[in-house]
């Protein structure tokens, strides 16, 4: 495959990932969606402080978010 084909496949894969991610985020209850949004730019401890939540609760929510993401086939992206 030439470079243009590889780039097109990569772009298609990224679009699929975006759609899967959007679906997983939409499946989250509102309180988990807020935490997930905050975690896109903050560490769990910083997100807890910014959201006014105990950090242990945020870590529990992270586990719940991971479970939903895994159900949507995104577990390979979870570090």
């Amino acid at each position: 495959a030439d470079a243009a084909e590889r780039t097109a496949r990569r772009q298609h894969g990224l679009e699929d990932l975006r759609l899967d991610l959007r679906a997983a985020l939409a499946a989250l209850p509102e309180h988990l969606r807020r935490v997930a949004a905050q975690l896109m730019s903050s560490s769990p401890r910083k997100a807890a402080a910014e959201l006014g939540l105990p950090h242990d609760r945020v870590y529990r929510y992270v586990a719940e978010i991971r479970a939903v993401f895994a159900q949507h086939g995104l577990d390979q992206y979870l570090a």
Side-chain angles (χ1 to χ4, degrees), residues 7 9 13-14 19-20 32 38 43 49 52 54 57 73-74 78:
T7 299
R9 278 199 311 264
L14 287 175
L19 292 172
D20 291 344
L32 293 182
Q38 194 66 43
S43 69
R57 184 177 308 161
L74 296 168
L78 302 173

Side-chain angles (χ1 to χ4, degrees), residues 53-76:
L53 296 171
H55 67 271
D56 60 324
R57 184 177 308 161
V58 169
Y59 283 106
R60 190 169 57 242
Y61 288 170
V62 167
E64 293 176 36
I65 293 167
R66 285 177 177 273
V68 171
F69 278 31
Q71 291 169 356
H72 282 82
L74 296 168
D75 45 333
Q76 65 181 326

Side-chain angles (χ1 to χ4, degrees), residues 1-77:
D2 65 7
E5 255 182 72
R6 286 191 303 271
T7 299
R9 278 199 311 264
R10 198 169 327 138
Q11 288 298 99
H12 182 73
L14 287 175
E15 185 59 29
D16 286 347
L17 175 58
R18 282 188 201 97
L19 292 172
D20 291 344
L21 183 56
R22 198 171 291 143
L25 288 168
L28 293 172
E30 180 59 32
H31 70 286
L32 293 182
R33 212 170 315 144
R34 277 195 321 272
V35 172
Q38 194 66 43
L39 290 169
M40 289 182 202
S41 61
S42 300
S43 69
R45 282 192 178 267
K46 187 173 179 188
E50 291 167 347
L51 294 168
L53 296 171
H55 67 271
D56 60 324
R57 184 177 308 161
V58 169
Y59 283 106
R60 190 169 57 242
Y61 288 170
V62 167
E64 293 176 36
I65 293 167
R66 285 177 177 273
V68 171
F69 278 31
Q71 291 169 356
H72 282 82
L74 296 168
D75 45 333
Q76 65 181 326
Y77 300 102

